[in-house]
């Protein structure tokens, strides 16, 4: 394997490790941000939480240096109407998983400070009601991956 | 006795019992060019109603439409080619320039349409599409509730079928082929 291939392999493994925070009772997996068209002011981020501990966790908010503001929203589609509503407390019960995914729970990432492209990494700081904060790196992925 | 057309075998779409001819409307596309009922003639049109500040459902649906376009790329449909149209329900922020950047990100052939709110409502009311702004009217950071369905208009500018969510590109492509075959039999 030549030097460049080694560098790419190393970069790839770093990306994987950044996207997983498996230590501790609250495990985060597959966190990502959907790339948006140029000049997009609002993006969405997704990921999977798993509470492997014995205490409940309540997610109360998130911040990021890359965005002016981060909100947590849930999309519902009821009687064909799409509605997004802010979520201020989300319980992740012991032994349970919670998935943020398209057309459901998501991080609303408002006002990026630069145009994000597939492959970029952004960091989010998650806040819980017990005072715990948790940093998670999210990889930007092409929008093409989100449609079914 | 004329042969009865075979009813289409649909996976996701609901076909209207009788196609409904749209009344004329006056909107503009992402290049600032008029987009009217005439633009729906000679094409199958998949219409989605959304807005560019919508971070979750709209890009997801646009990606599904892009996948549908890919799956139909080498398909000949009876009546005309298919065009994909995003109609903004947020004309205050969705200028033609902004729509141009947005739709071309998903597919360079996609069409983005906007216009005066009254003109948009003239189209949405005919199609049973709902939209409503959330939050304070003065804020420029607001959400818009809107219908999730993708609507199909036939090559005679008639409302023809509804694709309710959740949307799968393979179902959209397959149903569109079925519906265009049925359309040909009923001409």
């Amino acid at each position: 394997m030549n030097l460049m291939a080694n560098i790419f392999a190393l970069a790839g493994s770093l990306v994987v490790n950044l996207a997983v925070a498996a230590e501790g009772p609250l495990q985060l997996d597959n966190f990502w941000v959907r790339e948006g068209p140029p000049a997009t002011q609002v993006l969405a981020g997704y990921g999977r939480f798993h509470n492997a501990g014995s205490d409940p966790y309540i997610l109360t908010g998130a911040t990021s240096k890359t965005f002016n503001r981060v909100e947590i929203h849930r999309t519902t589609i009821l009687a064909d109407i799409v509605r997004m509503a802010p979520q201020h407390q989300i319980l992740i019960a012991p032994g349970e998983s919670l998935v943020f995914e398209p057309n459901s729970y998501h991080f609303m990432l408002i006002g990026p400070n630069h145009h994000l492209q597939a492959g970029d990494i952004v960091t989010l700081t998650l806040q819980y009601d017990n005072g715990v904060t948790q940093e998670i790196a999210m990889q930007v992925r092409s929008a093409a991956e989100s449609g079914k | 006795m004329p042969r009865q057309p075979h009813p289409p075998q649909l996976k996701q779409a609901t076909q209207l019992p009788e196609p409904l001819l749209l009344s004329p409307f006056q909107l503009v596309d992402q290049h600032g060019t008029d987009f009217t009922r005439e633009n729906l003639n000679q094409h199958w049109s998949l219409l989605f109603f959304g807005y560019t500040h919508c971070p979750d459902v709209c890009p997801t649906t646009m990606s599904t439409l892009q996948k549908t376009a890919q799956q139909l790329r080498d398909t000949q449909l009876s009546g005309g080619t298919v065009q994909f149209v995003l109609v903004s329900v947020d004309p205050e922020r969705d200028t033609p320039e902004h729509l141009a950047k947005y739709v071309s990100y998903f597919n360079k052939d996609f069409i983005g349409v906007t216009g005066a709110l009254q003109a948009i409502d003239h189209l949405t009311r005919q199609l049973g599409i709902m939209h409503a702004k959330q939050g304070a009217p003065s804020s420029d950071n607001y959400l818009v509730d809107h219908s999730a369905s993708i609507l199909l208009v036939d090559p005679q500018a008639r409302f023809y079928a509804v694709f309710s969510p959740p949307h799968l590109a393979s179902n959209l492509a397959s149903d569109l082929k079925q519906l265009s075959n049925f359309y040909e039999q009923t001409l």
Side-chain angles (χ1 to χ4, degrees):
Chain A
M1 196 184 283
N2 63 30
L3 179 62
M4 285 308 289
N6 273 319
I7 289 169
F8 282 124
L10 178 61
S13 68
L14 280 175
V15 166
V16 170
N17 290 334
L18 281 167
V20 178
E23 290 177 14
L26 195 57
Q27 299 167 356
L28 310 180
D29 181 31
N30 195 29
F31 271 61
W32 62 285
V33 174
R34 176 171 33 218
E35 182 188 53
T40 295
Q41 286 304 302
V42 191
L43 299 169
Y46 307 101
R48 179 178 178 275
F49 298 79
H50 178 68
N51 186 351
S54 52
D55 297 320
Y57 275 78
I58 296 174
L59 180 68
T60 55
T63 58
S64 172
K65 288 178 182 167
T66 309
F67 302 96
N68 285 341
R69 198 164 80 248
V70 179
E71 296 179 1
I72 298 170
H73 282 238
R74 185 182 189 187
T75 297
T76 54
I77 303 178
L78 194 63
D80 194 41
I81 304 300
V82 179
R83 166 164 283 199
M84 284 185 293
Q87 307 288 307
H88 302 293
Q89 293 197 322
I90 301 178
L91 172 67
I92 308 158
E96 298 285 320
S97 294
L98 174 71
V99 181
F100 279 34
E101 59 187 347
N103 299 356
S104 179
Y105 287 105
H106 57 276
F107 296 100
M108 189 185 278
L109 310 167
I110 303 165
N113 57 21
H114 63 283
H115 177 58
L116 296 170
Q117 294 182 294
D120 290 350
I121 300 288
V122 299
T123 304
L124 216 60
T125 304
L126 307 174
Q127 298 153 341
Y128 300 92
D129 79 327
N130 57 5
V132 168
T133 61
Q134 196 175 21
E135 285 211 343
I136 182 72
M138 307 171 84
Q139 188 173 28
V140 180
R141 295 184 191 165
S142 161
E145 294 178 37
S146 63
K148 290 181 179 174
Chain B
M1 191 171 161
R3 208 179 57 162
Q4 286 292 314
H6 296 295
Q9 302 295 308
L10 302 175
K11 294 178 176 169
Q12 185 159 13
T14 304
Q15 187 180 5
L16 268 67
E18 290 293 333
L20 176 70
L21 179 65
L22 298 180
S23 69
F25 57 86
Q26 183 75 39
L27 297 168
V28 290
D29 70 11
Q30 74 269 34
H31 308 297
T33 307
D34 285 351
F35 189 92
T36 67
R37 186 177 67 175
E38 280 59 51
N39 293 81
L40 301 176
N41 287 326
Q42 315 297 322
H43 297 282
W44 288 95
S45 302
L46 284 171
L47 306 182
F48 174 61
F49 293 78
Y51 64 112
T52 68
H53 281 69
C54 156
D56 186 39
V57 164
C58 301
T60 305
T61 305
M62 294 295 283
S63 298
T64 299
L65 290 173
Q66 158 58 7
K67 286 189 171 153
T68 307
Q70 278 177 346
Q71 292 186 19
L72 289 170
R73 194 169 41 199
D74 300 321
T75 305
Q76 285 281 75
L77 297 175
S78 302
T81 55
V82 59
Q83 60 184 5
F84 297 82
V85 185
L86 168 67
V87 182
S88 173
V89 291
D90 183 18
E92 208 174 303
R93 293 182 293 190
D94 287 341
T95 60
E97 297 76 23
H98 199 69
L99 276 174
K101 288 179 189 157
Y102 189 83
V103 294
S104 64
Y105 170 80
F106 295 95
N107 186 308
K108 66 179 176 50
D109 295 324
F110 279 9
I111 299 166
V113 167
T114 187
L117 191 58
Q118 201 176 4
I120 291 169
D121 283 344
H122 183 65
L123 180 59
T124 57
R125 283 197 198 107
Q126 299 183 59
L127 296 166
I129 293 291
M130 171 274 178
H131 65 96
K133 201 167 153 179
Q134 281 187 38
S138 59
S139 164
D140 65 351
N141 180 32
Y142 53 85
L143 302 172
V144 183
D145 297 344
H146 59 96
S147 299
S149 287
I150 295 168
L151 307 186
L152 179 67
V153 176
D154 77 8
Q156 297 176 64
R158 299 182 304 176
F159 181 17
Y160 203 77
V162 180
F163 294 89
S164 299
H167 298 121
L168 276 179
S170 55
N171 287 350
L172 264 72
S174 159
D175 284 0
L176 194 46
K177 288 178 208 168
Q178 288 279 331
L179 288 163
S180 72
N181 287 339
F182 180 79
Y183 170 84
E184 188 180 35
Q185 294 174 60
T186 55
L187 284 178

